[in-house]
Amino acid sequence: MTSLITSRARHVAVIGLGAAGLVAVRELRREGHTVIGFEREKHVGGLWVYTDRVELDSLSLDPDRTIVHSSIYQSLRTNLPRESMGYSDFPFVTRSGEGDPRRYPDHREVLMYLQDFAKEFKIEEMIRFDTEVLCVESTPENNRKWRVQFKSLNGVSGEEIFDAVVVCNGHFTEPRLAHIPGIDSWPGKQIHSHNYRIPDLFKDQVVIVIGSQASGNDISKDIATIAKEVHISSKAVASDSYGGYDNLRIHPTIYRAREDGSVVFRNGKVVFADAIVHCSGYKYHFPFLKTNGYVTVEDNRVGPLYKHVFPPALAPGISFIGLPFMGLQFFMFEIQSKWVASVLSGRVKLPTEDKMMEEAIAFYTKLEDLGIPKRYTHFLTDPRGNPMLGTFEPEDAVVISQSDYFNWIAKQCGCTSIERWRERLYNVAIKKIFFSGDSYRDQWDDDQLIEEVYGEFAKLKSNQDCSS
């Protein structure tokens, strides 16, 4: 709901300069705020900055380990066409004469897109690189101000007071492990996909990959090129099937692991394996955020939150960009950032704390009544005819579509919602994932839609040139 309150500039900290943090910085500055971004690495890009470094603890269980923040494997390509992935006014198109020209490019191409975005909008001048945020807490003098304590890689520590803090640190760093009875006495090696880069470690071995979502599907096929056998443990199947390679099989979930090195699947199939790769997702993790227990993470639900963004009692001083998973991530980051920026300026007004909490509780109650586990609280996609839901248990159906979510935010802050072409392109791409097999990235058969998309890009550029 748009407010008549005169807008005002705020001093805002943005934590993390990946795809969410970059667009958050831009939208905050566009709204007139002064912004400082904190990035613990040397470059922008977050998740999309590849490194061959991995953590010494292959399951990332040691709380004192040296954390490697990248979770990108060397062979990773996008699972959506590039055109659908970009921000609304900065199209993600093929780079002229360089890079990866494919419609589903590799991770390097995405990083170059983000670097181009940062350069175009002069974002790096507002970033403190090589700086880790240690603590975010309200100030004793004024609980509407926030103290940010930080430390640079050269050992210099400091703190600064902000009117608001926008949390954009991502959620692909703290691994979530599958629960396997008997695994503590199983003698094989284990690794989480967070620490997977190349398949060489598994040459001539029998490997079990847990999970059949994007990373599990990609990594299992990557390993199959060099391993003796690969067995996928999937919630989506009830019986064994082939996985597209002669040495790749798909099974139901694991029943238990045994001391003799065998793993028993729920359909009774027994496999003697050398290694298990956990492609079982990640945990939301905010070790720097001190809210006296108000904001919690319980079974991967970050709460209480109003519309996945604002903790009612702390709003608008604390906000989160990018918690919902699946769907059109970059567009979601952008529209959430527009909302946060307009709320902070006073141009848009939030409901009262009580009203926000009431809506959050009602949402959680609805999920509970439908039997949806807390870990799917932030699952956001389109339930209307979307085959992606086939990978979840029936009771895990989502209760809001991403389009409805985008439209709701757009109405709040008076901005343009998702374009029709982007929505159509996304829906075509999702169906390809589930109905076109392993070739979905390299066989595009809707050229008419792509022509329409590039026509829209041409109109956008023309309008931008006129404005300039």
Side-chain angles (χ1 to χ4, degrees), residues 40 67 132-136 169 284-290:
R40 64 182 300 158
I67 296 175
E132 179 182 5
V133 172
L134 304 176
C135 180
V136 173
N169 68 321
Y284 295 98
H285 192 53
F286 314 101
F288 52 83
L289 187 58
K290 312 301 180 185

Side-chain angles (χ1 to χ4, degrees), residues 93-121:
V93 297
T94 304
R95 299 163 63 90
S96 177
E98 60 180 315
D100 184 349
R102 293 174 294 182
R103 175 139 290 124
Y104 292 75
D106 64 23
H107 54 85
R108 300 167 191 84
E109 188 79 358
V110 182
L111 178 59
M112 285 191 288
Y113 168 79
L114 294 174
Q115 291 170 336
D116 287 346
F117 178 83
K119 181 179 179 180
E120 174 71 17
F121 295 100

Side-chain angles (χ1 to χ4, degrees), residues 2 5-10 12 23-35 337-348 413 415:
T2 303
I5 297 174
T6 303
S7 63
R8 57 174 293 192
R10 304 274 187 166
V12 187
V23 75
V25 168
R26 187 191 70 170
E27 295 302 328
L28 287 161
R29 184 170 63 177
R30 279 182 167 179
E31 192 74 19
H33 306 295
T34 60
V35 189
S337 296
K338 289 179 185 293
W339 186 30
V340 169
S342 60
V343 166
L344 287 174
S345 71
R347 186 170 60 82
V348 173
C413 56
C415 62

Side-chain angles (χ1 to χ4, degrees), residues 35 191 206 300 319:
V35 189
I191 182 175
V206 177
N300 249 17
S319 58

